[in-house]
Amino acid sequence: MMKLIEPDEKNDFHAILQAQHLDAGDFELHEIDTTDPKTDEIFALTGFVTVSRKSSERKKQYPIGDGSIWVAEFERDLLQGVFN
C-alpha cells in the first residue's frame, strides 16, 4: 500500500507546527486511500488525511494525493483557530 502523504509534506506539516510553537505529539495524521486498486491503469493516488489535535479533540479532513495542497489548507485552518 502506497503512502499518500509525501515525506516533504510531512516535513512541511511539522515545520508549520514548530513555527506556531505547537507540539507535534498533540497532532495525528490518519490517511484514507481511496485510489481504486481494481484498475490496471496508473491513476493518480487519491484519498483523504484527517488531522486530529488530541488536546482540543478537533479534527478536519483534507483531500490528498497528486497535486493536493492539504498542508497549505491545514496551515490556513490552524491560523484561523480551527484546531483550538
Side-chain angles (χ1 to χ4, degrees), residues 3 11 24 27 29-30 32 47-48 51:
K3 283 277 183 203
N11 291 342
F27 289 82
L29 299 175
H30 180 71
I32 301 160
F48 294 92
V51 180

Side-chain angles (χ1 to χ4, degrees), residues 26-83:
D26 192 26
F27 289 82
E28 281 184 342
L29 299 175
H30 180 71
E31 294 177 73
I32 301 160
D33 190 339
T34 59
T35 306
D36 186 351
K38 294 190 274 307
T39 57
D40 290 338
E41 295 175 49
I42 310 256
F43 278 110
L45 294 171
T46 58
F48 294 92
V49 60
T50 302
V51 180
S52 306
R53 185 173 188 182
K54 298 175 198 170
S55 62
S56 66
E57 298 185 359
R58 299 271 181 161
K59 295 182 181 181
K60 181 124 189 224
Q61 192 177 70
Y62 303 94
I64 56 174
D66 296 345
S68 76
I69 57 163
W70 74 269
V71 177
E73 292 172 342
F74 164 74
E75 182 175 28
R76 181 198 62 214
D77 288 343
L78 185 70
L79 296 175
Q80 289 178 351
V82 170
F83 290 92

